[in-house]
Structure formats: structure tokens, C-alpha cells
Amino acid sequence: MASTDQIHVIVIPLMSQSHLIPMIDLSKILAKRGLIITIITTPLNAARYQATVDRAIRSGRLRIKLVPLPFPCNEAGLPEGCENLDSLPSPDLQTKFLVSSSLLQAPLESHLEKVDPRPSCIISSLPWTKDVAYKFNIPRFAYQGISCFTLLCSHKMMLHKVHENVKYDNEPFLVPDVPDKIEFTYAQLPKMMRTSSSHGDDGIDLKDIRHQFKQAEISAEGLLVNTFEELELDYVKSYQKVAMGNVLCVGALSLCNRMVKDYEEMTSIDEHYCLKWLDTMKPKSVIYVCFGSLCHLLPKQLIEIGKGLEASNSPFIWIIREVDYNEEIKKWVKNENFEDRLKGKGLIIKGWAPQVLILSHPATGGFMTHCGWNSTLEGVSAGVPMITWPMFAEQFYNEKLIVQVLKIGIRIGVEVTMQWGEEANDGIYVKRESVKDVVDQLMDEGEKGQERRRKAQELGERANQAVEEGGSSYMNITSFIEHVKQWCNLN
Ligand code: UDP
């Protein structure tokens, strides 16, 4: 009879911050439940996350290991050192990057042949990992870092091909057969959903890649989704029917970092200083502004944001990615004496922010987000209302979930999705007046603002209940463990 402490799970994240962070969190959760975890990644990614994993090991004597496998960038046609989506010199390389993760297959198989105890299960959505699971005769669970709302809406659109029949990019169409009245325009769809652009700039067929990822999901034993049932129950149930069963909502995964300083080696500011700054602010008064790990913004757009935030009635923390904090922006900040002018009103973090800590601080009262799913869920879990500024990928879906379904946010008003890398073009230019207006509207203490805040807080509480012992996500993790145990006993 296999016992939990003999189960050895191999976790293989896609190499981007938005997969590595939640999948390391998932690893910590599984290790806390007694499982042995090996996380497969590359040397540069392992170096980024080693301290986090070491801390997890120290804190609870957890059995987690990061295994760095060499990633041959040259062979993949990528510049040396490109081991994460956020370090690609050009977004044109992203499909090549996704495809070339399969170069890890051979070294992974050699590693698994020697590993002790022998692997019991793989968690990964990378298409080639299904061959590895097959070779070692172990079950594979796919990981989904998007919502069931997005999974269901995309499925229904693809099934009924409604998006292929619209005449104009900005003509709205209804998503058929979903629990709410959800409208999209063609211009809001991710590039992979658009029929007119089936090939990437590198000649790789995007439809084929989408198909491979879908197949990897369908062929898995089950799907572990970073969401929680109470957030989107109707969509979870409907997607369960589509996927014929094993959809397990195990989030919000970031909540395993509640009240602990984690990923702190990655942050570009002294966390102590940042939290002290927040401590000086009134409860729920600060707006936190961050657009994730991949979006680029032009200096002129950044200046509009800066001026809009300054003119707004709220104190703010504003993250400017290191790559965007270029000479032009530095010069502008210096010439305007911007940081001095902001004293007591705004804090700029250049680089990486301790997002989960900031969001969960009592002084944080709003979040301006690009609607990446991790950020969305982190905002929900912290119980803060949001300003939605989607840019690319499935971010417009998340905007619709936040604003229309959950009613915990307001739109900044962008209408067109960008191919990743085109965010800097003029197409999504938001003026300072709009930034100011939307911040004032979100932070308003009037009836509508209060109602949004109440709903956000309620969802935050539900998120926390879901991961507590006996909560829905906790029980879904139990189902996953039982499933793997049963499989081990039968094989
Ligand atoms: N993040 C962070 N600090 C930053 C920027 C991002 O901690 O300064 C984290 C954020 O908390 C989230 C992830 O990076 O967990 C971003 O993932 P998301 O899906 O929101 O967006 P993406 O980066 O994929 O666009």
C-alpha cells in the first residue's frame, strides 16, 4: 500500500515567472502534505528560485528539490542566457522558446532513470512531457495557470467558431453557451485565437502549437487549475463537463505565502522600507500599479501613468520594470524631480516588487493591473478591487471576469489586445486624465465604490477559506494525492 510520504511528484513548469511562481507554490503545498517534490528547470531559473526553495525546506523540513537541467540555447536558436520568457530579447522568439523547451526531454529522461525514489507522477502542461510520462508509465496532471472562465469561453468560441464569422475587428459577438452574457470583439482575442495569423514571425504554426498544448491537457489524467471553485463555480462546473471530469481547482496558490516574506531575493526594494512606507498610510488608501513580468511600456506611456497617478487623489506604489526604466525615463524622473515631488504620496519601484506582500498590506486599497491571471488571482485573494488594463494573451478574458462577472473592478477602457511586444505601440495609449479619473473612481468611497470593495473583500475571504484545511482547494489537493496513491497501488 503506497503511503503519501513515498509519492514523488515531478513538477515541470513552463519557463516564465507566471508559471514558475505558482508551480513552486504548488510544490510547497504538496510538500507540506508530505509528498516528495522535484522541480525541473534550467540553471538560470534554478538560481533565481533556489533561495525560495531553500527557505521552504528550512521552514518545514519539506522535501523539495530544484533540479537544473542544461538548456542548450544555441541549439534552440536563442541567444545565450535566454532561459525564461522574460529574458527574450524580442517577443518574436517566444514561439521558438516554447517549442525548444522539448530540448529538456532527453536530459530529463536520463535524470528520471536514476532518481530515487522512482517518480510517481508528473505535473506539467508542456506537450512533450506526456511522452515522458508514457515512457515511465506514470500519470501526468496538466497545470493550468488560467481561469475556468477563460478555458470555457475559449472552448465555446473555438467549438462554434463565432469569432471567425465577424466582419470587423471591433464588431462585438456573444460567446455561446456560457453562464453569463459575455461579449468579445475579434480585436480582444489573443493572437493564437485569430485565424488570420496562424504563423508566428519565425514561421512556426501557432495553431499547431495551440493544438499541441490542448492535446497535452486532454490526454492528462486531470487538470490542476490555479483558481478556486467559489470564485467561478458555474464556469468550473461547465468546464468540468467539457473536460469530462478531473478538473481540480487548487488555488489560490499564492496564498501559501500569506504573511511570509517569500521570493524576497528577487525584489528590487528593501521590503522592510516598502512595508514601513505602507504602514504610514491610511487603511485601504493606496493604489498599487503593476503590469506583470512581461509587458513593455513606452516612456511616453509611462510618463502619462506617472502624471495621472500624481494628479489622482490617492497615494500609490508604481512598478516600472527594469527593462522599461531606460535612459529616457531616468532623465525625465531626474529633470522633473519626480521622486522628490512624490514624497509622502508615491513610491516608485524600479524592477521587481514584493507584489503579494504589498497587496495583502492593510493600507492597499486598489490594484491597477494588466490582468495576468496570477495578478488577478492575487488581487482577488487580497480582497482588493481592481482597475483593469489588459494588454495581451488571455488578459481581456480576465478583465471580463473581474468587471462583468465578479463586479470587483472597473475598466481603464482599452479595447484592443496586442501581440506581446506590441504593447509599447501607440494603440493602447492611455492618457493621464484617464489614469487620474479611473483611480479616483476606484478609490471613491461612495455607494458604488463601497459595494465593489465589499464584494472584493468577500471574495478574498472565500479565497482564504478555500485553501484552509477542509476548504474546497484543500480537498481537491487531497483528491489529487489520493488519485496518485491509488495509481501507485495498482502499478
Ligand atoms: N510579480 C511580482 N513582482 C513584480 C511583477 C510581477 O511579484 O514586480 C509577480 C506577480 O505577483 C505574479 C507574476 O509575477 O505572480 C506575474 O504573473 P501574471 O500572470 O500576473 O502576469 P505575466 O507576468 O505573465 O504577464
Side-chain angles (χ1 to χ4, degrees), residues 66-230:
L66 264 173
V67 172
L69 297 177
F71 183 58
C73 293
N74 291 341
E75 202 181 315
L78 298 165
E80 206 49 53
C82 281
E83 296 184 9
N84 189 302
L85 268 183
D86 75 351
S87 51
L88 295 182
S90 158
D92 300 343
L93 292 169
Q94 62 175 311
T95 30
K96 188 179 271 179
F97 181 78
L98 286 180
V99 171
S100 42
S101 69
S102 65
L103 291 169
L104 293 176
Q105 183 171 346
L108 172 63
E109 289 181 359
S110 314
H111 176 80
L112 294 186
E113 261 147 30
K114 300 181 293 254
V115 83
D116 181 37
R118 91 176 271 279
S120 327
C121 168
I122 287 179
I123 301 179
S124 184
S125 346
L126 291 164
W128 53 271
T129 58
K130 72 178 190 318
D131 301 333
V132 182
Y134 184 73
K135 183 170 174 188
F136 286 84
N137 189 27
I138 50 176
R140 181 181 57 88
F141 276 71
Y143 167 79
Q144 262 305 358
I146 56 180
S147 62
C148 286
F149 173 86
T150 298
L151 286 165
L152 186 72
C153 289
S154 328
H155 171 80
K156 295 292 182 183
M157 272 188 234
M158 299 300 290
L159 186 69
H160 298 279
K161 300 193 186 333
V162 272
H163 59 303
E164 292 179 12
N165 298 324
V166 290
K167 288 200 186 71
Y168 308 105
D169 273 10
N170 59 359
E171 180 186 328
F173 62 88
L174 264 182
V175 183
D177 196 19
V178 293
D180 295 281
K181 182 177 174 237
I182 304 294
E183 273 185 351
F184 268 87
T185 66
Y186 193 75
Q188 294 172 339
L189 296 178
K191 189 168 182 177
M192 283 214 189
M193 289 278 290
R194 303 192 200 187
T195 46
S196 56
S197 55
S198 67
H199 282 80
D201 302 318
D202 47 14
I204 298 174
D205 189 340
L206 296 177
K207 273 188 168 174
D208 182 47
I209 297 203
R210 190 181 60 210
H211 179 72
Q212 285 179 30
F213 272 86
K214 200 69 207 166
Q215 284 308 313
E217 184 194 306
I218 294 167
S219 61
E221 284 287 307
L223 190 58
L224 304 178
V225 193
N226 188 12
T227 185
F228 58 100
E229 291 172 1
E230 294 79 357

Side-chain angles (χ1 to χ4, degrees), residues 18 21 290 292-294 319 351-353 355 370 372-375 378:
S18 57
I21 295 173
C290 182
S293 68
L294 297 171
I319 317 310
W352 193 259
Q355 176 155 306
H370 72 307
W373 181 242
N374 293 291
S375 296
E378 286 159 11

Side-chain angles (χ1 to χ4, degrees), residues 16-19 21-22 25 49 85 145 254 263 266-268 288 290-295 319-321 349 351-356 359 367 369-378 392 394-395 398:
S16 77
Q17 308 297 65
S18 57
H19 274 242
I21 295 173
D25 288 342
Y49 289 100
L85 268 183
S254 67
Y263 303 103
M266 291 164 69
T267 60
S268 314
Y288 168 67
C290 182
F291 303 110
S293 68
L294 297 171
C295 301
I319 317 310
I320 307 181
R321 282 189 67 206
I349 299 179
W352 193 259
Q355 176 155 306
V356 171
L359 283 172
F367 181 15
T369 172
H370 72 307
C371 306
W373 181 242
N374 293 291
S375 296
T376 302
L377 204 51
E378 286 159 11
F392 58 82
E394 88 305 345
Q395 294 159 10
N398 299 334

